[in-house]
Amino acid sequence: METADLKKQYKEELRQLQIELIRLQKWIQDQHLRLAIIFEGRDTAGKGGAIYRFTRYLNPRAMRVVALPKPTEVEKGQWYFQRYIKELPNPGEIVFFDRSWYNRAVVEPVMGFCTKEQYELFLKQAPVFEQMLLEDGIILIKFWFSINITEQKVRIEDRINNPLKVWKLSTVDLKAQQMWDEFTWYKNQMFLQTHRPDNPWVIVKGNDKPVARMEAMRYVLARMDYPEKSQARVSFEPNPEIINIFDPSMI
């Protein structure tokens, strides 16, 4: 298939998935449900771009994107989860977390932003905290966008050299390559300690950003049984080469 045809096919399938997300959002509003979707992953793996495609046509009155800055001095003295609790979805709302409380599982220990005791306490409390959310009726989806080291290097260099993307560059980005193994170790520990069958980590292979975005959308839609789903003109079967539920055998 020619490149132009592939691009046209991608745009049409993306459009159909976005139409389904609108239908899903309307159902969540009508049923007063609460959906929280966490986007975690390697730096430059495509989390922000995926969130943009998810939210582009949604009703802004019934969804929010949460990307918290570093904690204030007051927040540093609070219970770690406290500032995230107030960002949880209200009835009839979808919240997209562009990074989340899982900063403490990977980025903070790698970069030295938390103590060993704080890190270990987080791993102990996170599954309990999330179980409370599930028991209260919040629907929680946790994505981890992965990327290989070569592709990450290309994307970091693009951010450095592209004046339209340089704002995306952070201290963590600049150290992502040299601390690749450290990030891998903490990522694996996070999976092992916080993955649960009823609250799984969903791993998205992000080397191909357009495909990763669509498969993440497909996974969310596949999880939800909204009334108009049978009318869809798009498949809800995620590609197993792109979307995988974490299993310890992966490590």
Side-chain angles (χ1 to χ4, degrees):
M1 190 178 292
E2 296 293 332
T3 302
D5 292 334
L6 285 171
K7 190 172 183 179
K8 182 179 179 181
Q9 180 181 314
Y10 161 73
K11 286 185 174 181
E12 177 56 27
E13 188 167 14
L14 177 63
R15 179 176 180 273
Q16 292 301 321
L17 289 166
Q18 288 170 328
I19 288 172
E20 294 307 309
L21 287 171
I22 292 170
R23 290 173 173 170
L24 171 63
Q25 183 189 37
K26 180 64 167 55
W27 177 66
I28 286 174
Q29 287 180 271
D30 292 343
Q31 298 299 313
H32 304 289
L33 300 177
R34 293 169 290 166
L35 173 60
I37 308 178
I38 289 174
F39 290 76
E40 294 286 348
R42 296 274 189 180
D43 293 296
T44 76
K47 300 178 295 296
I51 291 171
Y52 173 73
R53 270 71 180 187
F54 263 87
T55 61
R56 187 173 182 186
Y57 298 108
L58 296 183
N59 181 350
R61 297 182 184 87
M63 73 88 185
R64 285 180 288 127
V65 177
V66 175
L68 296 184
K70 66 180 183 179
T72 65
E73 288 303 313
V74 171
E75 288 171 333
K76 287 179 182 178
Q78 297 173 344
W79 180 42
Y80 178 72
F81 294 94
Q82 188 166 335
R83 72 185 191 132
Y84 293 101
I85 288 174
K86 61 186 178 183
E87 303 293 348
L88 291 170
N90 297 309
E93 188 178 43
I94 306 174
V95 172
F96 299 84
F97 284 93
D98 187 351
R99 293 202 181 277
S100 66
W101 46 88
Y102 280 103
N103 276 330
R104 180 142 294 179
V106 182
V107 174
E108 289 191 16
V110 170
M111 301 299 294
F113 296 157
C114 69
T115 66
K116 182 174 182 288
E117 292 74 21
Q118 288 173 325
Y119 166 72
E120 291 176 348
L121 181 61
F122 171 83
L123 290 182
K124 178 181 177 182
Q125 291 185 340
V128 179
F129 171 65
E130 291 175 8
Q131 185 60 34
M132 293 171 65
L133 301 184
L134 297 178
E135 289 175 354
D136 199 60
I138 291 178
I139 304 165
L140 183 63
I141 295 175
K142 303 189 295 189
F143 283 126
W144 176 271
F145 279 71
S146 68
I147 187 175
N148 67 36
I149 192 170
T150 303
E151 180 63 22
Q152 186 188 63
K153 182 179 180 181
V154 170
R155 294 184 188 179
I156 289 174
E157 290 176 349
D158 182 46
R159 289 185 178 185
I160 292 172
N161 298 317
N162 188 334
L164 297 177
K165 296 182 180 180
V166 70
W167 64 272
K168 294 183 177 183
L169 200 62
S170 69
T171 304
V172 177
D173 290 337
L174 295 172
K175 293 189 176 181
Q177 289 274 291
Q178 67 188 72
M179 305 188 80
W180 179 270
D181 291 340
E182 289 87 341
F183 276 103
T184 299
W185 190 87
Y186 280 102
K187 173 202 71 173
N188 289 340
Q189 292 304 308
M190 177 189 73
F191 288 156
L192 290 169
Q193 298 296 325
T194 64
H195 172 83
R196 299 290 185 275
D198 62 343
N199 181 25
W201 274 106
V202 182
I203 301 171
V204 184
K205 294 182 180 178
N207 277 3
D208 187 328
K209 287 194 283 189
V211 172
R213 294 162 185 161
M214 291 200 301
E215 294 307 316
M217 290 179 184
R218 215 184 303 275
Y219 176 85
V220 171
L221 294 165
R223 279 276 307 267
M224 313 296 286
D225 291 320
Y226 54 97
E228 296 180 323
K229 196 171 184 177
S230 60
Q231 303 173 25
R233 296 170 53 190
V234 67
S235 169
F236 293 114
E237 191 68 34
N239 183 344
E241 294 185 2
I242 306 298
I243 295 280
N244 288 282
I245 304 300
F246 170 74
D247 185 276
S249 64
M250 295 176 175
I251 297 177

